[in-house]
Amino acid sequence: GFLDALNNLAATFGKLNSDQQAVECYEQLLATTQEDPEIFYNYGNSLVKLDRNDDAIDAYQRALHLSPRFAAAYNNLGNALNKLGDTAQAQACYENVLDIDPNHDEASRNLALAYSNAGQFQAAEAHYQRLLSRNPHDADALLGVATCRIREGNHRAAIDGLERVLQVTPSASVPQFLLDAQLGNSRDCA
């Protein structure tokens, strides 16, 4: 019926990056029904794209109230909280995702990045290693481990990690730049 058409229209606007129109459709939907966690979730996603993170957080929390094991809503709630600088709450959201779905790679990656940004490099590396246990050629996870080692001042391990990244993605410029810098640092320390 009409609500399904409005939901489809909102989703189409979202895919076309017409986020304000998507938000308006979701608001019309929510004026009619407040029982569908997917509507709140998609509304939150559209709000984030408009940089309305506080409103998105409310939408994700409403989705989670309706569906407490909604892993994607926890993950995106974590992302919105992270954007607002609430790292501890973001980390808790990502942990909730992993409690629900231990193989949720995006949450593992987000949690690793949040730990790294908070200076918790060992915790970050543990989550990057979790990703690597499922995919040993995950260049982003390999780069994350190497970056943690750089930030810890472990230049030899960083060099080894960056060389592994370059084995997986030989044309990548960032790992090559970091490797060149680490090689310079290791010569300076010798």
Side-chain angles (χ1 to χ4, degrees):
F2 175 72
L3 295 179
D4 288 335
L6 192 56
N7 194 26
N8 290 337
L9 182 60
T12 300
F13 279 135
K15 290 176 186 169
L16 295 173
N17 293 320
S18 298
D19 300 305
Q20 184 58 47
Q21 289 87 347
V23 164
E24 291 168 9
C25 288
Y26 288 123
E27 287 172 347
Q28 287 180 20
L29 277 166
L30 291 170
T32 306
T33 180
Q34 301 224 340
E35 301 301 318
D36 187 342
E38 288 285 336
I39 293 172
F40 282 107
Y41 171 75
N42 291 327
Y43 179 49
N45 291 343
S46 293
L47 290 165
V48 163
K49 291 178 184 178
L50 294 174
D51 208 25
R52 291 176 51 191
N53 293 301
D54 286 319
D55 294 330
I57 288 167
D58 290 339
Y60 293 134
Q61 288 172 334
R62 298 281 301 272
L64 289 164
H65 176 75
L66 294 168
S67 180
R69 296 191 51 80
F70 194 164
Y74 270 118
N75 188 64
N76 289 9
L77 175 59
N79 292 342
L81 288 163
N82 213 21
K83 286 181 180 183
L84 294 179
D86 194 344
T87 306
Q89 287 294 335
Q91 289 170 341
C93 287
Y94 301 138
E95 292 284 0
N96 284 336
V97 174
L98 295 172
D99 287 343
I100 295 165
D101 179 3
N103 295 319
H104 197 291
D105 286 351
E106 186 179 349
S108 289
R109 194 174 315 283
N110 289 338
L111 185 56
L113 188 58
Y115 279 131
S116 181
N117 289 340
Q120 299 170 302
F121 304 120
Q122 289 180 335
E125 187 170 337
H127 286 281
Y128 285 126
Q129 293 294 351
R130 183 181 199 164
L131 289 164
L132 291 168
S133 72
R134 289 192 292 275
N135 177 5
H137 301 291
D138 183 331
D140 291 332
L142 289 167
L143 183 58
V145 169
T147 302
C148 287
R149 291 175 179 169
I150 289 168
R151 294 178 72 189
E152 290 174 320
N154 188 344
H155 299 292
R156 183 70 246 156
I159 290 168
D160 292 344
L162 291 167
E163 288 173 342
R164 279 192 66 204
V165 174
L166 289 170
Q167 289 172 352
V168 172
T169 56
S171 63
S173 59
V174 171
Q176 186 62 57
F177 172 79
L178 292 172
L179 179 59
D180 292 344
Q182 289 307 302
L183 289 171
N185 284 341
S186 69
R187 281 192 282 274
D188 293 343
C189 295

